[in-house]
Amino acid sequence: MLILHKYLSMTHFIRTAYMDVPLFNTRVGNDFYRIKRPLFVILNDDEDLRNDFARQISTWLAMAYPTWLVFFGNETKLADFFLEIYVPFDCKFMVAQSSANVIGREIITEVYQVDKGKELRSMQFGVWDLRDGLKGPKRGLFSRRNNLFGQNIRVTSVHDPPISLLHHNEQNEIIRISGFFGDVILLLQEAINCTFTYKEAKTWGSCLPDGSCTGAVGMLINNDVDFAATEFMMTSDRLDAISFTTPIYTTKCRAYIKRPATSDLKWNAYTAPFSADIWGAIVLFIILFSGSIVFIQRLFAFLSPYLPDDEHSRFTEILFFIVGAFCSQGMKQSTLDPIRMVQLIIHLAAVVILAAYSAALISYLAVKTFVMPFTTMDGLLKDGTYRFGVVGDSSDFTFFQNTSDKTLRVLFDEVLMKETGLPSNYLDGLERVCKEDKYAFMTLDNMAALLQQKVDCKLEKLDAISQTTIAMALQPNSPYRGIINANILQLRDNGILQRLLETQWSVQLSRENAKSSWKSVEIGDIVPLLLFIVAILFISFFICAIERVIFKNFPNHRMKQEVNKPQQPKINMILRR
């Protein structure tokens, strides 16, 4: 033993120690986790050593942490040695036994059990001889152990539509889980050949200061279930209590609030489509063309004294007609071709400008603008008018309870702790955001995207609070964690997991986009125009009333003006034949 210890330490630089069972219990004890990747070797299959190992080591040691190697005699049988020893499914336990046919060759067999009390299973791990050394397996551990032989795994989940939905039969027994996580565990069930029985968890659960745990977390710790097939945030306090699968996806958690049903009143809605420079160019265009028509009329009047009287118009009158043309009104038809050409240019320009203005105005009115009252959790706290909620008895609640951030801590103490009857799931929380005034709720980004089409209001998100990783949960030191992780990684490498994510997300988001493809203009958007029309009507009625008063009180005023008007001398023309 001393020579072997010296050889391994000095030649191969392998730290070794040899001891008997009592010394192992004393020196190693519960500190065996401090040894990195340990190999524990049992040098013989003596009955006393086997009994000591079965009663003093395997009962308290986490068998799956180290790698085991035991040397058997030629007559020793596996079933006899492991009669009272439980070798977990994920334990690497090797048995070396000399070959009966070839001298100097050792056959290495790995053994394991699917569950305690189940059949001991074995398969050849490799062969070692003096000439070729060790020839080990070409596949990984869970590629070799890829079958649970129908083992029943107790599964729990939280009814959290649409990614995990529990379905009951007539006896109110859960028969299956649908949604994203339901699809994932069905693929796992097919891959590892197991059966599932289901229990419902009311909440995700958390660990209380007194050490007790609630919800799905408590069910895992109390050995009520083996596996929790729902979204679990991987937090530090949960890592101390339960095990997690490999991450399924990552997302961000943040608070969401409701967007008001109507947008802010846009008083500049009918001038905003064009900039000030464009409006100035249009006014200049109207003035220039009005002046052009007046100039053409004066020019033709000078060149032709027989110009009809209706071709003589004042500048203000022409200006009024051109403004009417830009409002899709007709213009007084001229008999002069140059003026007709100018009118044609005016109408073409008016059509183009009116089309551009109408398109810009419709877009401006249809695009809703919403000014967020705040964008951060600090703003939510300072606003003071919003209530705040998270899913009750979940990692979201313990996150605020244990946070070291001052703002979030004050938010927990002054706002969150005042809430009674916190939402039971994310859908319940977002429905409260829509139903109640000034209610903020923290959820995951992907859940908000999925549930947007299930609530009857538009959700607005605040700045992200943290990045979070989502996984499924297992019992502490679960023997099935390795095979489940191996198959989840295989689903990810094959693109199946990504396909499931895209299918769930794309279906929901496409429905949301289909519902929101048409934008409506609300009554509030045309309030400025309605007020303008009402004001013009009042002004028109006021001017009309003034005119009626004037003509009623002074009926002969205009007649007297006509009488006192000097008469034009009549010119008698004598026609001669």
Side-chain angles (χ1 to χ4, degrees), residues 371-412:
V371 179
M372 295 282 287
F374 44 80
T375 58
T376 63
M377 300 303 289
D378 184 58
L380 172 65
L381 182 62
K382 291 180 179 178
D383 182 270
T385 60
Y386 273 75
R387 296 166 55 199
F388 178 67
V390 298
V391 175
D393 194 19
S394 68
S395 61
D396 299 341
F397 186 85
T398 55
F399 170 78
F400 281 90
Q401 188 177 28
N402 302 327
T403 184
S404 58
D405 186 274
K406 293 182 179 179
T407 300
L408 300 183
R409 187 65 190 179
V410 173
L411 189 68
F412 175 81

mmCIF file of all heavy atoms in Angstrom, residues 371-412:
data_model
loop_
_atom_site.group_PDB
_atom_site.id
_atom_site.type_symbol
_atom_site.label_atom_id
_atom_site.label_comp_id
_atom_site.label_asym_id
_atom_site.label_seq_id
_atom_site.Cartn_x
_atom_site.Cartn_y
_atom_site.Cartn_z
ATOM 1 N N VAL A 371 -47.273 59.253 -23.014
ATOM 2 C CA VAL A 371 -46.195 59.759 -22.176
ATOM 3 C C VAL A 371 -46.215 58.979 -20.868
ATOM 4 O O VAL A 371 -47.174 59.055 -20.101
ATOM 5 C CB VAL A 371 -46.353 61.270 -21.924
ATOM 6 C CG1 VAL A 371 -45.229 61.778 -21.034
ATOM 7 C CG2 VAL A 371 -46.380 62.028 -23.249
ATOM 8 N N MET A 372 -45.155 58.191 -20.645
ATOM 9 C CA MET A 372 -45.083 57.374 -19.438
ATOM 10 C C MET A 372 -44.996 58.268 -18.206
ATOM 11 O O MET A 372 -44.220 59.232 -18.188
ATOM 12 C CB MET A 372 -43.868 56.455 -19.505
ATOM 13 C CG MET A 372 -43.932 55.419 -20.602
ATOM 14 S SD MET A 372 -44.999 54.045 -20.165
ATOM 15 C CE MET A 372 -43.970 53.216 -18.950
ATOM 16 N N PRO A 373 -45.763 57.975 -17.170
ATOM 17 C CA PRO A 373 -45.645 58.761 -15.940
ATOM 18 C C PRO A 373 -44.304 58.554 -15.256
ATOM 19 O O PRO A 373 -43.840 59.416 -14.527
ATOM 20 C CB PRO A 373 -46.804 58.237 -15.085
ATOM 21 C CG PRO A 373 -47.089 56.870 -15.614
ATOM 22 C CD PRO A 373 -46.791 56.929 -17.076
ATOM 23 N N PHE A 374 -43.692 57.394 -15.497
ATOM 24 C CA PHE A 374 -42.362 57.070 -14.971
ATOM 25 C C PHE A 374 -41.865 55.848 -15.736
ATOM 26 O O PHE A 374 -42.648 55.129 -16.375
ATOM 27 C CB PHE A 374 -42.400 56.783 -13.462
ATOM 28 C CG PHE A 374 -43.544 55.917 -13.044
ATOM 29 C CD1 PHE A 374 -43.495 54.538 -13.199
ATOM 30 C CD2 PHE A 374 -44.701 56.466 -12.510
ATOM 31 C CE1 PHE A 374 -44.550 53.729 -12.833
ATOM 32 C CE2 PHE A 374 -45.771 55.671 -12.146
ATOM 33 C CZ PHE A 374 -45.693 54.302 -12.309
ATOM 34 N N THR A 375 -40.570 55.613 -15.696
ATOM 35 C CA THR A 375 -39.983 54.479 -16.417
ATOM 36 C C THR A 375 -39.138 53.588 -15.530
ATOM 37 O O THR A 375 -38.656 52.551 -15.988
ATOM 38 C CB THR A 375 -39.116 54.976 -17.588
ATOM 39 O OG1 THR A 375 -38.081 55.838 -17.089
ATOM 40 C CG2 THR A 375 -39.951 55.726 -18.612
ATOM 41 N N THR A 376 -38.940 53.958 -14.297
ATOM 42 C CA THR A 376 -38.103 53.185 -13.385
ATOM 43 C C THR A 376 -38.883 52.847 -12.123
ATOM 44 O O THR A 376 -39.940 53.435 -11.838
ATOM 45 C CB THR A 376 -36.828 53.961 -13.010
ATOM 46 O OG1 THR A 376 -37.202 55.158 -12.308
ATOM 47 C CG2 THR A 376 -36.039 54.340 -14.259
ATOM 48 N N MET A 377 -38.338 51.916 -11.355
ATOM 49 C CA MET A 377 -38.956 51.570 -10.079
ATOM 50 C C MET A 377 -38.832 52.727 -9.090
ATOM 51 O O MET A 377 -39.700 52.910 -8.231
ATOM 52 C CB MET A 377 -38.312 50.309 -9.510
ATOM 53 C CG MET A 377 -38.439 49.082 -10.400
ATOM 54 S SD MET A 377 -40.151 48.674 -10.778
ATOM 55 C CE MET A 377 -40.711 48.066 -9.201
ATOM 56 N N ASP A 378 -37.784 53.506 -9.220
ATOM 57 C CA ASP A 378 -37.651 54.689 -8.367
ATOM 58 C C ASP A 378 -38.752 55.701 -8.685
ATOM 59 O O ASP A 378 -39.323 56.320 -7.787
ATOM 60 C CB ASP A 378 -36.269 55.317 -8.582
ATOM 61 C CG ASP A 378 -36.019 56.486 -7.653
ATOM 62 O OD1 ASP A 378 -36.076 56.297 -6.424
ATOM 63 O OD2 ASP A 378 -35.791 57.607 -8.153
ATOM 64 N N GLY A 379 -39.072 55.839 -9.997
ATOM 65 C CA GLY A 379 -40.176 56.714 -10.374
ATOM 66 C C GLY A 379 -41.515 56.211 -9.877
ATOM 67 O O GLY A 379 -42.385 56.997 -9.475
ATOM 68 N N LEU A 380 -41.706 54.885 -9.900
ATOM 69 C CA LEU A 380 -42.927 54.286 -9.360
ATOM 70 C C LEU A 380 -43.073 54.595 -7.877
ATOM 71 O O LEU A 380 -44.165 54.926 -7.392
ATOM 72 C CB LEU A 380 -42.898 52.780 -9.596
ATOM 73 C CG LEU A 380 -43.995 51.944 -8.934
ATOM 74 C CD1 LEU A 380 -45.359 52.310 -9.512
ATOM 75 C CD2 LEU A 380 -43.733 50.460 -9.112
ATOM 76 N N LEU A 381 -41.978 54.517 -7.158
ATOM 77 C CA LEU A 381 -42.006 54.790 -5.721
ATOM 78 C C LEU A 381 -42.285 56.265 -5.450
ATOM 79 O O LEU A 381 -43.087 56.612 -4.568
ATOM 80 C CB LEU A 381 -40.689 54.365 -5.089
ATOM 81 C CG LEU A 381 -40.552 54.529 -3.571
ATOM 82 C CD1 LEU A 381 -41.582 53.678 -2.847
ATOM 83 C CD2 LEU A 381 -39.143 54.148 -3.116
ATOM 84 N N LYS A 382 -41.645 57.152 -6.227
ATOM 85 C CA LYS A 382 -41.823 58.587 -6.002
ATOM 86 C C LYS A 382 -43.210 59.059 -6.427
ATOM 87 O O LYS A 382 -43.732 60.034 -5.885
ATOM 88 C CB LYS A 382 -40.756 59.364 -6.760
ATOM 89 C CG LYS A 382 -39.350 59.184 -6.190
ATOM 90 C CD LYS A 382 -38.331 59.981 -6.989
ATOM 91 C CE LYS A 382 -36.934 59.826 -6.392
ATOM 92 N NZ LYS A 382 -35.911 60.559 -7.190
ATOM 93 N N ASP A 383 -43.818 58.395 -7.416
ATOM 94 C CA ASP A 383 -45.157 58.790 -7.863
ATOM 95 C C ASP A 383 -46.165 58.681 -6.727
ATOM 96 O O ASP A 383 -46.981 59.574 -6.507
ATOM 97 C CB ASP A 383 -45.582 57.917 -9.048
ATOM 98 C CG ASP A 383 -46.937 58.286 -9.596
ATOM 99 O OD1 ASP A 383 -47.938 57.716 -9.107
ATOM 100 O OD2 ASP A 383 -47.007 59.128 -10.502
ATOM 101 N N GLY A 384 -46.109 57.578 -5.997
ATOM 102 C CA GLY A 384 -46.923 57.435 -4.797
ATOM 103 C C GLY A 384 -48.385 57.118 -5.012
ATOM 104 O O GLY A 384 -49.109 56.877 -4.044
ATOM 105 N N THR A 385 -48.853 57.117 -6.273
ATOM 106 C CA THR A 385 -50.269 56.856 -6.524
ATOM 107 C C THR A 385 -50.524 55.446 -7.036
ATOM 108 O O THR A 385 -51.683 55.034 -7.134
ATOM 109 C CB THR A 385 -50.817 57.860 -7.560
ATOM 110 O OG1 THR A 385 -50.092 57.719 -8.798
ATOM 111 C CG2 THR A 385 -50.666 59.284 -7.055
ATOM 112 N N TYR A 386 -49.474 54.708 -7.366
ATOM 113 C CA TYR A 386 -49.622 53.369 -7.930
ATOM 114 C C TYR A 386 -49.467 52.310 -6.844
ATOM 115 O O TYR A 386 -48.605 52.427 -5.959
ATOM 116 C CB TYR A 386 -48.571 53.121 -9.007
ATOM 117 C CG TYR A 386 -48.981 53.577 -10.384
ATOM 118 C CD1 TYR A 386 -48.982 54.921 -10.710
ATOM 119 C CD2 TYR A 386 -49.357 52.664 -11.367
ATOM 120 C CE1 TYR A 386 -49.353 55.360 -11.972
ATOM 121 C CE2 TYR A 386 -49.733 53.089 -12.627
ATOM 122 C CZ TYR A 386 -49.724 54.428 -12.933
ATOM 123 O OH TYR A 386 -50.088 54.843 -14.187
ATOM 124 N N ARG A 387 -50.317 51.298 -6.918
ATOM 125 C CA ARG A 387 -50.117 50.085 -6.130
ATOM 126 C C ARG A 387 -49.178 49.167 -6.885
ATOM 127 O O ARG A 387 -49.001 49.299 -8.102
ATOM 128 C CB ARG A 387 -51.448 49.404 -5.875
ATOM 129 C CG ARG A 387 -52.421 50.218 -5.033
ATOM 130 C CD ARG A 387 -53.814 49.648 -5.117
ATOM 131 N NE ARG A 387 -53.838 48.230 -4.756
ATOM 132 C CZ ARG A 387 -54.813 47.396 -5.078
ATOM 133 N NH1 ARG A 387 -55.841 47.823 -5.786
ATOM 134 N NH2 ARG A 387 -54.763 46.135 -4.715
ATOM 135 N N PHE A 388 -48.583 48.216 -6.178
ATOM 136 C CA PHE A 388 -47.597 47.336 -6.801
ATOM 137 C C PHE A 388 -47.800 45.917 -6.287
ATOM 138 O O PHE A 388 -48.021 45.708 -5.093
ATOM 139 C CB PHE A 388 -46.172 47.811 -6.495
ATOM 140 C CG PHE A 388 -45.103 46.927 -7.067
ATOM 141 C CD1 PHE A 388 -44.935 46.823 -8.437
ATOM 142 C CD2 PHE A 388 -44.277 46.174 -6.238
ATOM 143 C CE1 PHE A 388 -43.959 46.008 -8.975
ATOM 144 C CE2 PHE A 388 -43.298 45.364 -6.757
ATOM 145 C CZ PHE A 388 -43.133 45.272 -8.133
ATOM 146 N N GLY A 389 -47.755 44.937 -7.213
ATOM 147 C CA GLY A 389 -47.955 43.550 -6.828
ATOM 148 C C GLY A 389 -47.028 42.611 -7.570
ATOM 149 O O GLY A 389 -46.511 42.929 -8.645
ATOM 150 N N VAL A 390 -46.819 41.450 -6.979
ATOM 151 C CA VAL A 390 -46.074 40.346 -7.585
ATOM 152 C C VAL A 390 -46.875 39.076 -7.333
ATOM 153 O O VAL A 390 -47.862 39.077 -6.601
ATOM 154 C CB VAL A 390 -44.646 40.222 -7.002
ATOM 155 C CG1 VAL A 390 -43.823 41.473 -7.267
ATOM 156 C CG2 VAL A 390 -44.705 39.940 -5.488
ATOM 157 N N VAL A 391 -46.451 37.989 -7.949
ATOM 158 C CA VAL A 391 -47.092 36.701 -7.691
ATOM 159 C C VAL A 391 -46.840 36.311 -6.243
ATOM 160 O O VAL A 391 -45.689 36.296 -5.783
ATOM 161 C CB VAL A 391 -46.571 35.631 -8.656
ATOM 162 C CG1 VAL A 391 -47.155 34.270 -8.297
ATOM 163 C CG2 VAL A 391 -46.928 35.986 -10.086
ATOM 164 N N GLY A 392 -47.882 35.992 -5.533
ATOM 165 C CA GLY A 392 -47.739 35.635 -4.129
ATOM 166 C C GLY A 392 -47.041 34.304 -3.930
ATOM 167 O O GLY A 392 -47.169 33.387 -4.742
ATOM 168 N N ASP A 393 -46.283 34.201 -2.847
ATOM 169 C CA ASP A 393 -45.578 32.971 -2.472
ATOM 170 C C ASP A 393 -44.720 32.465 -3.636
ATOM 171 O O ASP A 393 -44.815 31.317 -4.059
ATOM 172 C CB ASP A 393 -46.566 31.892 -2.041
ATOM 173 C CG ASP A 393 -45.888 30.727 -1.330
ATOM 174 O OD1 ASP A 393 -44.745 30.906 -0.867
ATOM 175 O OD2 ASP A 393 -46.480 29.639 -1.262
ATOM 176 N N SER A 394 -43.884 33.350 -4.126
ATOM 177 C CA SER A 394 -43.038 33.012 -5.269
ATOM 178 C C SER A 394 -41.667 33.637 -5.064
ATOM 179 O O SER A 394 -41.417 34.370 -4.100
ATOM 180 C CB SER A 394 -43.655 33.525 -6.573
ATOM 181 O OG SER A 394 -43.641 34.939 -6.608
ATOM 182 N N SER A 395 -40.770 33.343 -6.017
ATOM 183 C CA SER A 395 -39.434 33.930 -5.951
ATOM 184 C C SER A 395 -39.476 35.432 -6.192
ATOM 185 O O SER A 395 -38.583 36.160 -5.754
ATOM 186 C CB SER A 395 -38.524 33.269 -6.986
ATOM 187 O OG SER A 395 -39.031 33.471 -8.291
ATOM 188 N N ASP A 396 -40.512 35.916 -6.885
ATOM 189 C CA ASP A 396 -40.643 37.358 -7.080
ATOM 190 C C ASP A 396 -40.805 38.067 -5.740
ATOM 191 O O ASP A 396 -40.214 39.127 -5.504
ATOM 192 C CB ASP A 396 -41.854 37.663 -7.964
ATOM 193 C CG ASP A 396 -41.738 37.039 -9.340
ATOM 194 O OD1 ASP A 396 -40.615 36.692 -9.726
ATOM 195 O OD2 ASP A 396 -42.761 36.891 -10.017
ATOM 196 N N PHE A 397 -41.609 37.474 -4.863
ATOM 197 C CA PHE A 397 -41.824 38.074 -3.544
ATOM 198 C C PHE A 397 -40.543 38.012 -2.707
ATOM 199 O O PHE A 397 -40.165 39.004 -2.079
ATOM 200 C CB PHE A 397 -42.964 37.348 -2.835
ATOM 201 C CG PHE A 397 -43.368 37.972 -1.526
ATOM 202 C CD1 PHE A 397 -44.263 39.020 -1.499
ATOM 203 C CD2 PHE A 397 -42.841 37.517 -0.329
ATOM 204 C CE1 PHE A 397 -44.638 39.603 -0.292
ATOM 205 C CE2 PHE A 397 -43.201 38.082 0.879
ATOM 206 C CZ PHE A 397 -44.113 39.145 0.900
ATOM 207 N N THR A 398 -39.889 36.865 -2.679
ATOM 208 C CA THR A 398 -38.659 36.746 -1.883
ATOM 209 C C THR A 398 -37.537 37.595 -2.462
ATOM 210 O O THR A 398 -36.638 38.008 -1.720
ATOM 211 C CB THR A 398 -38.211 35.278 -1.818
ATOM 212 O OG1 THR A 398 -38.063 34.763 -3.163
ATOM 213 C CG2 THR A 398 -39.227 34.437 -1.091
ATOM 214 N N PHE A 399 -37.579 37.853 -3.783
ATOM 215 C CA PHE A 399 -36.576 38.739 -4.379
ATOM 216 C C PHE A 399 -36.645 40.120 -3.751
ATOM 217 O O PHE A 399 -35.626 40.707 -3.372
ATOM 218 C CB PHE A 399 -36.799 38.818 -5.893
ATOM 219 C CG PHE A 399 -35.988 39.880 -6.572
ATOM 220 C CD1 PHE A 399 -34.652 39.678 -6.849
ATOM 221 C CD2 PHE A 399 -36.567 41.096 -6.929
ATOM 222 C CE1 PHE A 399 -33.900 40.665 -7.469
ATOM 223 C CE2 PHE A 399 -35.827 42.084 -7.553
ATOM 224 C CZ PHE A 399 -34.479 41.864 -7.824
ATOM 225 N N PHE A 400 -37.854 40.669 -3.612
ATOM 226 C CA PHE A 400 -38.003 41.977 -2.981
ATOM 227 C C PHE A 400 -37.758 41.889 -1.481
ATOM 228 O O PHE A 400 -37.286 42.845 -0.870
ATOM 229 C CB PHE A 400 -39.404 42.528 -3.256
ATOM 230 C CG PHE A 400 -39.560 43.134 -4.622
ATOM 231 C CD1 PHE A 400 -39.966 42.351 -5.687
ATOM 232 C CD2 PHE A 400 -39.288 44.467 -4.846
ATOM 233 C CE1 PHE A 400 -40.109 42.903 -6.950
ATOM 234 C CE2 PHE A 400 -39.427 45.029 -6.105
ATOM 235 C CZ PHE A 400 -39.836 44.234 -7.162
ATOM 236 N N GLN A 401 -38.084 40.759 -0.904
ATOM 237 C CA GLN A 401 -37.910 40.606 0.538
ATOM 238 C C GLN A 401 -36.433 40.573 0.934
ATOM 239 O O GLN A 401 -36.054 41.093 1.987
ATOM 240 C CB GLN A 401 -38.607 39.328 0.995
ATOM 241 C CG GLN A 401 -38.667 39.134 2.498
ATOM 242 C CD GLN A 401 -39.429 37.879 2.862
ATOM 243 O OE1 GLN A 401 -39.467 36.923 2.094
ATOM 244 N NE2 GLN A 401 -40.049 37.882 4.029
ATOM 245 N N ASN A 402 -35.599 39.984 0.086
ATOM 246 C CA ASN A 402 -34.182 39.801 0.419
ATOM 247 C C ASN A 402 -33.262 40.748 -0.329
ATOM 248 O O ASN A 402 -32.042 40.622 -0.223
ATOM 249 C CB ASN A 402 -33.759 38.360 0.112
ATOM 250 C CG ASN A 402 -34.584 37.342 0.878
ATOM 251 O OD1 ASN A 402 -35.002 37.597 2.008
ATOM 252 N ND2 ASN A 402 -34.832 36.186 0.276
ATOM 253 N N THR A 403 -33.798 41.677 -1.102
ATOM 254 C CA THR A 403 -32.953 42.530 -1.919
ATOM 255 C C THR A 403 -32.127 43.487 -1.068
ATOM 256 O O THR A 403 -32.530 43.887 0.028
ATOM 257 C CB THR A 403 -33.812 43.335 -2.915
ATOM 258 O OG1 THR A 403 -32.957 44.099 -3.762
ATOM 259 C CG2 THR A 403 -34.764 44.267 -2.189
ATOM 260 N N SER A 404 -30.973 43.853 -1.602
ATOM 261 C CA SER A 404 -30.123 44.842 -0.940
ATOM 262 C C SER A 404 -30.260 46.220 -1.587
ATOM 263 O O SER A 404 -29.657 47.185 -1.108
ATOM 264 C CB SER A 404 -28.652 44.390 -0.996
ATOM 265 O OG SER A 404 -28.230 44.207 -2.344
ATOM 266 N N ASP A 405 -31.027 46.309 -2.671
ATOM 267 C CA ASP A 405 -31.246 47.587 -3.332
ATOM 268 C C ASP A 405 -32.159 48.459 -2.468
ATOM 269 O O ASP A 405 -33.231 48.020 -2.032
ATOM 270 C CB ASP A 405 -31.889 47.355 -4.713
ATOM 271 C CG ASP A 405 -32.017 48.639 -5.509
ATOM 272 O OD1 ASP A 405 -33.024 49.337 -5.321
ATOM 273 O OD2 ASP A 405 -31.105 48.937 -6.310
ATOM 274 N N LYS A 406 -31.750 49.680 -2.218
ATOM 275 C CA LYS A 406 -32.498 50.545 -1.298
ATOM 276 C C LYS A 406 -33.887 50.872 -1.835
ATOM 277 O O LYS A 406 -34.875 50.846 -1.091
ATOM 278 C CB LYS A 406 -31.709 51.834 -1.048
ATOM 279 C CG LYS A 406 -30.410 51.614 -0.275
ATOM 280 C CD LYS A 406 -29.703 52.933 -0.020
ATOM 281 C CE LYS A 406 -28.415 52.715 0.778
ATOM 282 N NZ LYS A 406 -27.698 53.992 1.017
ATOM 283 N N THR A 407 -33.973 51.189 -3.132
ATOM 284 C CA THR A 407 -35.265 51.545 -3.718
ATOM 285 C C THR A 407 -36.243 50.384 -3.646
ATOM 286 O O THR A 407 -37.398 50.540 -3.246
ATOM 287 C CB THR A 407 -35.080 52.000 -5.168
ATOM 288 O OG1 THR A 407 -34.214 53.140 -5.207
ATOM 289 C CG2 THR A 407 -36.411 52.355 -5.800
ATOM 290 N N LEU A 408 -35.772 49.198 -4.043
ATOM 291 C CA LEU A 408 -36.644 48.026 -4.024
ATOM 292 C C LEU A 408 -37.012 47.636 -2.597
ATOM 293 O O LEU A 408 -38.123 47.139 -2.350
ATOM 294 C CB LEU A 408 -35.967 46.863 -4.745
ATOM 295 C CG LEU A 408 -35.619 47.090 -6.224
ATOM 296 C CD1 LEU A 408 -35.011 45.825 -6.831
ATOM 297 C CD2 LEU A 408 -36.846 47.524 -7.009
ATOM 298 N N ARG A 409 -36.098 47.867 -1.686
ATOM 299 C CA ARG A 409 -36.394 47.539 -0.284
ATOM 300 C C ARG A 409 -37.487 48.455 0.269
ATOM 301 O O ARG A 409 -38.416 48.003 0.945
ATOM 302 C CB ARG A 409 -35.119 47.679 0.564
ATOM 303 C CG ARG A 409 -35.290 47.210 2.000
ATOM 304 C CD ARG A 409 -35.565 45.730 2.061
ATOM 305 N NE ARG A 409 -35.952 45.312 3.403
ATOM 306 C CZ ARG A 409 -36.272 44.077 3.726
ATOM 307 N NH1 ARG A 409 -36.236 43.134 2.801
ATOM 308 N NH2 ARG A 409 -36.619 43.769 4.952
ATOM 309 N N VAL A 410 -37.391 49.744 -0.035
ATOM 310 C CA VAL A 410 -38.427 50.684 0.408
ATOM 311 C C VAL A 410 -39.755 50.372 -0.278
ATOM 312 O O VAL A 410 -40.822 50.437 0.335
ATOM 313 C CB VAL A 410 -37.984 52.133 0.109
ATOM 314 C CG1 VAL A 410 -39.118 53.111 0.410
ATOM 315 C CG2 VAL A 410 -36.754 52.485 0.925
ATOM 316 N N LEU A 411 -39.690 49.992 -1.556
ATOM 317 C CA LEU A 411 -40.901 49.619 -2.288
ATOM 318 C C LEU A 411 -41.560 48.401 -1.650
ATOM 319 O O LEU A 411 -42.788 48.329 -1.554
ATOM 320 C CB LEU A 411 -40.551 49.338 -3.743
ATOM 321 C CG LEU A 411 -41.718 49.148 -4.713
ATOM 322 C CD1 LEU A 411 -42.474 50.451 -4.899
ATOM 323 C CD2 LEU A 411 -41.215 48.651 -6.059
ATOM 324 N N PHE A 412 -40.757 47.466 -1.183
ATOM 325 C CA PHE A 412 -41.301 46.278 -0.517
ATOM 326 C C PHE A 412 -41.958 46.646 0.805
ATOM 327 O O PHE A 412 -43.083 46.207 1.102
ATOM 328 C CB PHE A 412 -40.180 45.260 -0.295
ATOM 329 C CG PHE A 412 -40.602 44.054 0.493
ATOM 330 C CD1 PHE A 412 -41.283 43.011 -0.122
ATOM 331 C CD2 PHE A 412 -40.317 43.951 1.848
ATOM 332 C CE1 PHE A 412 -41.677 41.897 0.597
ATOM 333 C CE2 PHE A 412 -40.701 42.840 2.577
ATOM 334 C CZ PHE A 412 -41.378 41.813 1.939
#
